PDB file of all heavy atoms in Angstrom:
ATOM      1  N   MET U   1       0.819  -1.184   0.000  1.00 49.00           N
ATOM      2  CA  MET U   1       0.000   0.000   0.000  1.00 49.00           C
ATOM      3  C   MET U   1       0.862   1.245   0.000  1.00 49.00           C
ATOM      4  O   MET U   1       0.574   2.201  -0.673  1.00 49.00           O
ATOM      5  CB  MET U   1      -0.936  -0.041   1.207  1.00 49.00           C
ATOM      6  CG  MET U   1      -1.874   1.113   1.267  1.00 49.00           C
ATOM      7  SD  MET U   1      -3.072   1.002  -0.049  1.00 49.00           S
ATOM      8  CE  MET U   1      -4.201   2.237   0.419  1.00 49.00           C
ATOM      9  N   SER U   2       1.944   1.239   0.778  1.00 52.00           N
ATOM     10  CA  SER U   2       2.795   2.423   0.839  1.00 52.00           C
ATOM     11  C   SER U   2       3.566   2.612  -0.452  1.00 52.00           C
ATOM     12  O   SER U   2       3.886   3.745  -0.810  1.00 52.00           O
ATOM     13  CB  SER U   2       3.740   2.350   2.032  1.00 52.00           C
ATOM     14  OG  SER U   2       4.637   1.284   1.858  1.00 52.00           O
ATOM     15  N   SER U   3       3.879   1.519  -1.181  1.00 54.00           N
ATOM     16  CA  SER U   3       4.572   1.671  -2.455  1.00 54.00           C
ATOM     17  C   SER U   3       3.653   2.317  -3.481  1.00 54.00           C
ATOM     18  O   SER U   3       4.093   3.123  -4.296  1.00 54.00           O
ATOM     19  CB  SER U   3       5.085   0.323  -2.959  1.00 54.00           C
ATOM     20  OG  SER U   3       3.989  -0.524  -3.232  1.00 54.00           O
ATOM     21  N   ILE U   4       2.362   2.008  -3.443  1.00 54.00           N
ATOM     22  CA  ILE U   4       1.408   2.651  -4.336  1.00 54.00           C
ATOM     23  C   ILE U   4       1.305   4.126  -4.001  1.00 54.00           C
ATOM     24  O   ILE U   4       1.303   4.984  -4.869  1.00 54.00           O
ATOM     25  CB  ILE U   4       0.028   1.966  -4.229  1.00 54.00           C
ATOM     26  CG1 ILE U   4       0.115   0.544  -4.747  1.00 54.00           C
ATOM     27  CG2 ILE U   4      -1.018   2.751  -5.007  1.00 54.00           C
ATOM     28  CD1 ILE U   4      -1.128  -0.269  -4.500  1.00 54.00           C
ATOM     29  N   ARG U   5       1.244   4.436  -2.711  1.00 51.00           N
ATOM     30  CA  ARG U   5       1.161   5.824  -2.274  1.00 51.00           C
ATOM     31  C   ARG U   5       2.407   6.594  -2.695  1.00 51.00           C
ATOM     32  O   ARG U   5       2.331   7.714  -3.160  1.00 51.00           O
ATOM     33  CB  ARG U   5       0.982   5.888  -0.754  1.00 51.00           C
ATOM     34  CG  ARG U   5       0.697   7.285  -0.257  1.00 51.00           C
ATOM     35  CD  ARG U   5       0.467   7.340   1.235  1.00 51.00           C
ATOM     36  NE  ARG U   5      -0.676   6.521   1.611  1.00 51.00           N
ATOM     37  CZ  ARG U   5      -0.731   5.789   2.716  1.00 51.00           C
ATOM     38  NH1 ARG U   5       0.277   5.762   3.548  1.00 51.00           N
ATOM     39  NH2 ARG U   5      -1.789   5.068   2.999  1.00 51.00           N
ATOM     40  N   SER U   6       3.592   5.974  -2.567  1.00 52.00           N
ATOM     41  CA  SER U   6       4.844   6.620  -2.962  1.00 52.00           C
ATOM     42  C   SER U   6       4.876   6.876  -4.455  1.00 52.00           C
ATOM     43  O   SER U   6       5.292   7.949  -4.902  1.00 52.00           O
ATOM     44  CB  SER U   6       6.045   5.764  -2.568  1.00 52.00           C
ATOM     45  OG  SER U   6       6.109   5.627  -1.181  1.00 52.00           O
ATOM     46  N   SER U   7       4.431   5.895  -5.262  1.00 54.00           N
ATOM     47  CA  SER U   7       4.464   6.089  -6.707  1.00 54.00           C
ATOM     48  C   SER U   7       3.457   7.143  -7.143  1.00 54.00           C
ATOM     49  O   SER U   7       3.726   7.923  -8.051  1.00 54.00           O
ATOM     50  CB  SER U   7       4.210   4.769  -7.430  1.00 54.00           C
ATOM     51  OG  SER U   7       2.930   4.279  -7.098  1.00 54.00           O
ATOM     52  N   LEU U   8       2.268   7.196  -6.488  1.00 50.00           N
ATOM     53  CA  LEU U   8       1.302   8.235  -6.809  1.00 50.00           C
ATOM     54  C   LEU U   8       1.823   9.612  -6.433  1.00 50.00           C
ATOM     55  O   LEU U   8       1.641  10.574  -7.172  1.00 50.00           O
ATOM     56  CB  LEU U   8      -0.018   7.960  -6.098  1.00 50.00           C
ATOM     57  CG  LEU U   8      -0.846   6.807  -6.646  1.00 50.00           C
ATOM     58  CD1 LEU U   8      -2.058   6.574  -5.771  1.00 50.00           C
ATOM     59  CD2 LEU U   8      -1.263   7.068  -8.067  1.00 50.00           C
ATOM     60  N   LEU U   9       2.495   9.707  -5.292  1.00 49.00           N
ATOM     61  CA  LEU U   9       3.067  10.974  -4.872  1.00 49.00           C
ATOM     62  C   LEU U   9       4.159  11.412  -5.841  1.00 49.00           C
ATOM     63  O   LEU U   9       4.247  12.571  -6.225  1.00 49.00           O
ATOM     64  CB  LEU U   9       3.627  10.864  -3.448  1.00 49.00           C
ATOM     65  CG  LEU U   9       4.242  12.131  -2.862  1.00 49.00           C
ATOM     66  CD1 LEU U   9       3.212  13.241  -2.792  1.00 49.00           C
ATOM     67  CD2 LEU U   9       4.792  11.850  -1.494  1.00 49.00           C
ATOM     68  N   GLY U  10       4.989  10.462  -6.297  1.00 54.00           N
ATOM     69  CA  GLY U  10       6.047  10.781  -7.251  1.00 54.00           C
ATOM     70  C   GLY U  10       5.475  11.265  -8.571  1.00 54.00           C
ATOM     71  O   GLY U  10       5.972  12.217  -9.175  1.00 54.00           O
ATOM     72  N   ALA U  11       4.407  10.615  -9.053  1.00 52.00           N
ATOM     73  CA  ALA U  11       3.779  11.027 -10.306  1.00 52.00           C
ATOM     74  C   ALA U  11       3.161  12.411 -10.179  1.00 52.00           C
ATOM     75  O   ALA U  11       3.281  13.241 -11.080  1.00 52.00           O
ATOM     76  CB  ALA U  11       2.713  10.005 -10.716  1.00 52.00           C
ATOM     77  N   LEU U  12       2.539  12.682  -9.052  1.00 46.00           N
ATOM     78  CA  LEU U  12       1.948  13.993  -8.824  1.00 46.00           C
ATOM     79  C   LEU U  12       3.014  15.073  -8.782  1.00 46.00           C
ATOM     80  O   LEU U  12       2.864  16.136  -9.381  1.00 46.00           O
ATOM     81  CB  LEU U  12       1.145  13.983  -7.522  1.00 46.00           C
ATOM     82  CG  LEU U  12       0.491  15.304  -7.136  1.00 46.00           C
ATOM     83  CD1 LEU U  12      -0.574  15.671  -8.148  1.00 46.00           C
ATOM     84  CD2 LEU U  12      -0.113  15.214  -5.763  1.00 46.00           C
ATOM     85  N   LEU U  13       4.111  14.804  -8.096  1.00 46.00           N
ATOM     86  CA  LEU U  13       5.189  15.789  -8.021  1.00 46.00           C
ATOM     87  C   LEU U  13       5.847  15.994  -9.379  1.00 46.00           C
ATOM     88  O   LEU U  13       6.233  17.109  -9.730  1.00 46.00           O
ATOM     89  CB  LEU U  13       6.219  15.364  -6.982  1.00 46.00           C
ATOM     90  CG  LEU U  13       5.739  15.415  -5.539  1.00 46.00           C
ATOM     91  CD1 LEU U  13       6.787  14.824  -4.612  1.00 46.00           C
ATOM     92  CD2 LEU U  13       5.399  16.817  -5.113  1.00 46.00           C
ATOM     93  N   ALA U  14       5.968  14.936 -10.181  1.00 47.00           N
ATOM     94  CA  ALA U  14       6.553  15.076 -11.511  1.00 47.00           C
ATOM     95  C   ALA U  14       5.650  15.915 -12.407  1.00 47.00           C
ATOM     96  O   ALA U  14       6.142  16.723 -13.203  1.00 47.00           O
ATOM     97  CB  ALA U  14       6.780  13.702 -12.132  1.00 47.00           C
ATOM     98  N   LEU U  15       4.342  15.762 -12.258  1.00 44.00           N
ATOM     99  CA  LEU U  15       3.411  16.550 -13.062  1.00 44.00           C
ATOM    100  C   LEU U  15       3.448  18.017 -12.686  1.00 44.00           C
ATOM    101  O   LEU U  15       3.251  18.888 -13.523  1.00 44.00           O
ATOM    102  CB  LEU U  15       1.989  16.020 -12.903  1.00 44.00           C
ATOM    103  CG  LEU U  15       1.696  14.687 -13.594  1.00 44.00           C
ATOM    104  CD1 LEU U  15       0.301  14.227 -13.236  1.00 44.00           C
ATOM    105  CD2 LEU U  15       1.839  14.830 -15.097  1.00 44.00           C
TER     106      LEU U  15
END
Side-chain angles (χ1 to χ4, degrees):
M1 183 69 169
S2 65
S3 64
I4 294 172
R5 188 178 300 142
S6 297
S7 62
L8 287 175
L9 181 60
L12 179 66
L13 291 174
L15 287 174

